[in-house]
């Protein structure tokens, strides 16, 4: 606002007069920097911080185990038809326009 412009102008004139001791920069303290949550909010935030990574890790492990066992339908189809990997890729490319 106007108060900041006045301080800036005052600092310019103090600098131009070679009176560096008069220069001052005031620090502004931001208001509202603390987060206040209710007990339910803290519990929900904790569950989110802990639950989301655990859920994603579990989902990834389940997908990895499923693929490792070969329960992927495309892999099962390739095994069923006795295709090698290269011929399997050629087989799948037939369906891609």
């Amino acid at each position: 606002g106007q108060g900041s412009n006045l301080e800036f102008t005052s600092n310019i004139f103090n600098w131009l007069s070679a009176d560096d001791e008069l220069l001052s920069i005031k620090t502004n303290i931001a208001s509202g920097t603390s987060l206040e949550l209710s007990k339910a909010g803290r519990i929900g935030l904790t569950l989110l911080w802990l639950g989301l990574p655990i859920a994603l890790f579990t989902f990834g492990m389940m997908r990895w185990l499923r693929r490792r066992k070969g329960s992927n339908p495309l892999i099962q189809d390739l095994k069923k038809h006795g295709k090698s990997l290269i011929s399997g890729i050629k087989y799948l490319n037939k369906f891609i326009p």
Side-chain angles (χ1 to χ4, degrees):
Q2 296 296 330
S4 298
N5 291 338
L6 181 62
E7 290 175 26
F8 178 68
T9 306
S10 174
N11 282 336
I12 287 175
F13 284 113
N14 288 335
W15 178 74
L16 287 172
S17 68
D19 197 359
D20 291 340
E21 294 174 3
L22 296 175
L23 291 177
S24 65
I25 299 174
K26 295 182 181 179
T27 57
N28 293 333
I29 299 173
S31 61
T33 57
S34 64
L35 179 63
E36 297 178 15
L37 295 173
S38 64
K39 186 174 182 177
R42 285 191 303 268
I43 291 171
L45 194 58
T46 302
L47 288 176
L48 181 69
W49 282 343
L50 296 176
L52 186 61
I54 290 170
L56 290 174
F57 177 77
T58 304
F59 177 73
M61 289 300 294
M62 289 172 50
R63 297 268 310 186
W64 178 72
L65 288 172
R66 184 180 298 157
R67 287 184 178 186
R68 186 172 167 227
K69 289 180 183 177
S71 61
N72 189 334
L74 289 175
I75 293 174
Q76 287 180 351
D77 191 39
L78 290 174
K79 288 180 181 178
K80 181 179 172 183
H81 289 90
K83 306 282 184 180
S84 68
L85 182 60
I86 295 173
S87 63
I89 291 171
K90 291 178 182 176
Y91 172 73
L92 289 175
N93 281 334
K94 291 179 189 178
F95 302 104
I96 299 173

